[in-house]
Amino acid sequence: MKKKLEVLLRQAVDTLKSDGTLPQDADPVINIEHSRDPAHGDFASNLALMLAKAAKSNPRQLAEKITAALPGDDAVIKVEIAGPGFINFFIDPNGQYEIIRTVHDRGSEFGLSKTGAGKRVQVEFVSANPTGPLHVGHGRGAAYGSVVADLLEAVGFDVHREYYVNDAGRQMDILATSIWLRYLEDCGEVLHFPCNGYRGEYVRDISSAVHRASGDAFRFPVQTVFEDIPPDETQGGDKEIHIDALIARAKTLLGGAHYEHFFQAGLNDILDDIRDDLREFGVEYQEWFSERSLMADDSVAKALDRLRAGGHLYEKDGAVWFASSRLGDEKDRVVQRENGQYTYFASDIAYHMNKLDRGFEELINIWGADHHGYIPRVKAAMTALGADADKLKVLLVQFATLYRGEEKVQMSTRSGEFVTLRQLRNEVGRDAARFFYVLRRSEQHMDFDLKLATSRTNENPVFYVQYAHARVCSVFRQLDEKGLDRDLGLGMESLGLLKEEHELNLVGRLSRYPETLERAALQHEPHQLILYLRELANDFHAYYNAHQFLVEDAPLRNARLNLIAAVRQVLANGLGLLKITSPETM
């Protein structure tokens, strides 16, 4: 109906351009919204207010001219002007029933559109360091990023989902060294494990696998390993200096190839686990992009060369700095340290140069909220690289906080004290986990209520929505049990019999699905789809509790069956985009 009204208003604009009321170059974006108050009609447009300046006219007077120029349409029974110049449309209920036919005809494709027109968009999300299993905090970014990508694809964008694997740098060295130290314990050595090492059981699992495969081939006496190593924090020293010294010692004793053996053992095991975990969570990627590949093909050096050619780099205190403060950042940033090593930021610059060179028209990075301060420096880098920084959209996600009863669960990958995403999924199920993760705006804080997520009551929002779908299915099972036939054609011919308030509410709600889907996609707000599904489920439950569907009156019965079948289809479509199942029984 909104599309139909847009066409009518566009025709009225053309008429007013022809008679000189509007200038020939007037080409307004026509906005049509559902009216919040039924007394103000079904739809409203602010077109007259938008065109008043161009027409050099009072908005209300222009609204009267637009209304007079509107072509007639049987679906529109009345048009009124309200307030300063809003145009309100009252729609014939019989015209609104067309949505039921549309849902039936389009089926699983109802709501999909070509709004994105094939525009290439890269969505990079999760990208957690491969230093341990994904925990419940990562889960929110995974669910949110997955749904944002799927929504964009649903409205016509060409979406490329990507995971940036931080497989280079100090944290990976700490992991490799932690595995080697546990391996030494497997060999029988007794040692002080560093405070800053990775302590999770998964580290022991990896070291044990290396020991089973290689025996004591990489064993060194603990005295040799710790000789002249600066003291750890528990020994009155500095834990950072201590772990860095152990990393250097591991590289020296093992040599390049053997050290790489431990490095790869940790990287491959954990990355395989992350891949499997995300796949089971309904998250798939087109690409897993390795940070180390940027080093291997000199991409980092090339990116810095491009910045240097543009006059954006300078040297100070033996380091190379990016003059990002000239481009909106709060201060300049080091990209190459005094020892010649590149910083993490240098890799990020190269990575974004790579993204731009691949020809994506829009880049969407989904980061944890703690990365907020990182946005200006990355945008500064894009500008310095000669790109439009507005091509980059950074969406921030607050980590979810998990509670067991009244006790908050502390999470730390380093200490190994955390609840994994896999554990959460096993406890509450994939459906509940994904639903709860996108229940609110991504930037809002979230407390994950385990008790609510596993309850089978109407207070559990995912149960409430899925139960609506299952209830529709139960009606059709009852239809078969009673030996009644469903006459689809008769039902379509009899839609005018749907006069009850609950029925009209459902018809109106169904018509809002395509615009809700489009808005949720373009605004990157999956919670809008969640809210819609909860409202649709609420409308259906109210209808179910107030009326009978399998009535004796065949035309009315089939009309109602067509209506609830449309509700079932839209519920399934929406849940499907969230990668949540639509059960037939519950």
Side-chain angles (χ1 to χ4, degrees):
M1 187 57 64
K2 287 180 68 175
K3 293 294 184 183
K4 177 177 286 190
L5 295 178
E6 182 180 335
V7 170
L8 295 178
L9 287 170
R10 181 69 63 188
Q11 291 175 347
V13 168
D14 290 342
T15 298
L16 296 182
K17 287 164 68 173
S18 298
D19 66 18
T21 301
L22 290 173
Q24 290 300 311
D25 60 355
D27 186 24
V29 175
I30 297 178
N31 297 314
I32 300 169
E33 301 293 338
H34 283 278
S35 300
R36 296 181 180 179
D37 186 347
H40 297 157
D42 299 289
F43 297 92
S45 176
N46 64 349
L47 181 61
L49 283 77
M50 294 175 60
L51 289 173
K53 184 176 181 179
K56 299 178 181 179
S57 171
N58 175 282
R60 191 172 178 92
Q61 292 176 344
L62 181 58
E64 292 173 353
K65 294 179 181 179
I66 293 173
T67 301
L70 281 170
D73 192 286
D74 292 340
V76 181
I77 57 177
K78 184 170 64 172
V79 181
E80 288 184 349
I81 300 170
F86 290 100
I87 302 173
N88 294 340
F89 295 89
F90 294 77
I91 306 301
D92 182 352
N94 290 320
Q96 294 192 56
Y97 296 138
E98 187 65 29
I99 193 65
I100 298 176
R101 296 185 179 88
T102 302
V103 174
H104 175 266
D105 291 343
R106 297 210 62 193
S108 61
E109 294 186 354
F110 175 71
L112 305 184
S113 72
K114 299 297 182 183
T115 302
K119 184 178 180 180
R120 295 188 69 221
V121 178
Q122 188 224 39
V123 183
E124 182 226 320
F125 59 108
V126 183
S127 298
N129 288 345
T131 53
L134 297 178
H135 57 61
V136 295
H138 298 127
R140 191 176 190 191
Y144 175 70
S146 171
V147 178
V148 165
D150 290 347
L151 288 175
L152 287 170
E153 197 165 71
V155 298
F157 289 88
D158 179 5
V159 180
H160 183 85
R161 300 160 183 82
E162 191 155 307
Y163 189 115
Y164 181 52
V165 183
N166 298 108
D167 53 2
R170 182 169 178 264
Q171 293 306 316
M172 291 302 299
D173 282 332
I174 293 175
L175 174 67
T177 301
S178 298
I179 295 170
W180 180 56
L181 292 174
R182 290 302 190 198
Y183 163 85
L184 293 178
E185 291 181 334
D186 293 331
C187 294
E189 298 291 334
V190 179
L191 53 84
H192 166 79
F193 195 82
C195 298
N196 227 16
Y198 284 97
R199 295 173 169 271
E201 282 301 313
Y202 64 93
V203 175
R204 292 185 180 277
D205 292 339
I206 298 170
S207 69
S208 295
V210 174
H211 187 254
R212 286 194 299 272
S214 304
D216 289 357
F218 310 116
R219 181 178 184 174
F220 288 87
V222 69
Q223 294 83 359
T224 304
V225 174
F226 283 87
E227 184 178 4
D228 298 327
I229 294 292
D232 202 354
E233 186 174 71
T234 56
Q235 301 164 332
D238 185 304
K239 64 180 181 181
E240 302 293 348
I241 295 175
H242 180 74
I243 192 67
D244 285 342
L246 283 173
I247 292 171
R249 182 61 51 81
K251 291 180 177 180
T252 299
L253 293 177
L254 288 169
H258 290 165
Y259 178 80
E260 182 70 10
H261 182 73
F262 283 90
F263 189 102
Q264 288 294 334
L267 173 63
N268 294 338
D269 187 277
I270 293 172
L271 197 56
D272 285 346
D273 182 75
I274 289 174
R275 284 194 180 98
D276 291 342
D277 207 4
L278 288 172
R279 189 180 302 112
E280 290 297 318
F281 195 49
V283 180
E284 297 278 359
Y285 292 93
Q286 277 74 50
E287 186 159 356
W288 295 73
F289 191 99
S290 166
E291 180 184 357
R292 295 185 102 192
S293 71
L294 297 171
M295 308 293 183
D297 65 5
D298 293 327
S299 289
V300 178
K302 293 173 184 175
L304 297 189
D305 285 344
R306 190 183 295 188
L307 294 184
R308 187 176 287 106
H312 298 289
L313 298 185
Y314 65 91
E315 293 188 15
K316 187 179 74 170
D317 300 329
V320 179
W321 295 70
F322 170 43
S324 54
S325 61
R326 303 175 193 168
L327 300 170
D329 195 8
E330 62 180 359
K331 62 181 181 180
D332 294 348
R333 309 290 176 176
V334 175
V335 291
Q336 190 172 19
R337 298 186 181 93
E338 305 92 297
N339 61 7
Q341 290 186 338
Y342 296 121
T343 62
Y344 284 117
F345 182 45
S347 295
D348 283 338
I349 294 173
Y351 180 41
H352 283 81
M353 184 177 78
N354 179 281
K355 291 183 181 187
L356 294 168
D357 290 347
R358 280 186 275 164
F360 294 112
E361 297 166 80
E362 183 176 356
L363 307 177
I364 297 177
N365 291 355
I366 297 176
W367 292 344
D370 56 335
H371 284 69
H372 180 270
Y374 211 76
I375 299 172
R377 74 186 75 169
V378 175
K379 282 185 171 286
M382 289 186 62
T383 300
L385 289 168
D388 180 4
D390 289 338
K391 292 179 69 171
L392 173 65
K393 175 76 172 178
V394 178
L395 306 176
L396 298 176
V397 180
Q398 288 281 357
F399 278 177
T401 304
L402 184 66
Y403 283 86
R404 291 193 184 281
E406 299 297 322
E407 184 179 356
K408 179 180 176 180
V409 178
Q410 299 297 326
M411 291 178 291
S412 168
T413 308
R414 185 74 56 80
S415 68
E417 296 174 0
F418 58 90
V419 176
T420 67
L421 176 60
R422 182 174 286 113
Q423 289 170 328
L424 176 71
R425 193 177 70 245
N426 290 340
E427 183 167 345
V428 306
R430 183 175 112 174
D431 287 349
R434 287 184 65 99
F435 195 98
F436 271 70
Y437 273 136
V438 295
L439 191 57
R440 298 182 179 86
R441 292 180 185 274
S442 64
E443 63 270 23
Q444 287 182 327
H445 177 77
M446 178 186 182
D447 292 336
F448 200 111
D449 188 337
L450 287 170
K451 183 177 180 181
L452 180 61
T454 54
S455 68
R456 296 179 63 81
T457 67
N458 288 341
E459 282 69 39
N460 181 348
V462 65
F463 176 86
Y464 189 69
V465 173
Q466 290 179 315
Y467 188 42
H469 184 275
R471 267 186 154 178
V472 178
C473 293
S474 73
V475 172
F476 283 96
R477 284 196 299 272
Q478 293 172 36
L479 181 74
D480 292 337
E481 291 167 1
K482 293 185 176 183
L484 297 173
D485 292 327
R486 179 186 175 195
D487 191 325
L488 182 65
L490 177 61
M492 293 301 181
E493 294 169 3
S494 308
L495 294 177
L497 298 175
L498 302 176
K499 300 292 187 183
E500 299 290 345
E501 181 180 358
H502 293 102
E503 294 166 339
L504 297 179
N505 287 343
L506 277 173
V507 170
R509 189 75 65 192
L510 291 172
S511 69
R512 287 171 166 82
Y513 178 70
E515 65 187 84
T516 299
L517 178 54
E518 183 172 301
R519 188 170 60 248
L522 297 180
Q523 296 178 4
H524 311 125
E525 294 186 340
H527 73 274
Q528 292 195 32
L529 177 57
I530 292 277
L531 176 61
Y532 171 86
L533 293 174
R534 294 177 73 177
E535 291 174 338
L536 178 60
N538 184 67
D539 289 341
F540 172 75
H541 287 308
Y543 184 36
Y544 183 94
N545 293 332
H547 298 280
Q548 296 292 320
F549 303 120
L550 304 183
V551 294
E552 291 295 328
D553 184 340
L556 178 60
R557 179 176 71 245
N558 283 283
R560 287 181 171 176
L561 290 174
N562 286 2
L563 171 59
I564 66 172
V567 170
R568 177 175 61 179
Q569 183 67 65
V570 172
L571 287 170
N573 290 0
L575 289 171
L577 283 172
L578 298 169
K579 294 281 196 322
I580 294 172
T581 61
S582 302
E584 296 186 3
T585 59
M586 291 183 72

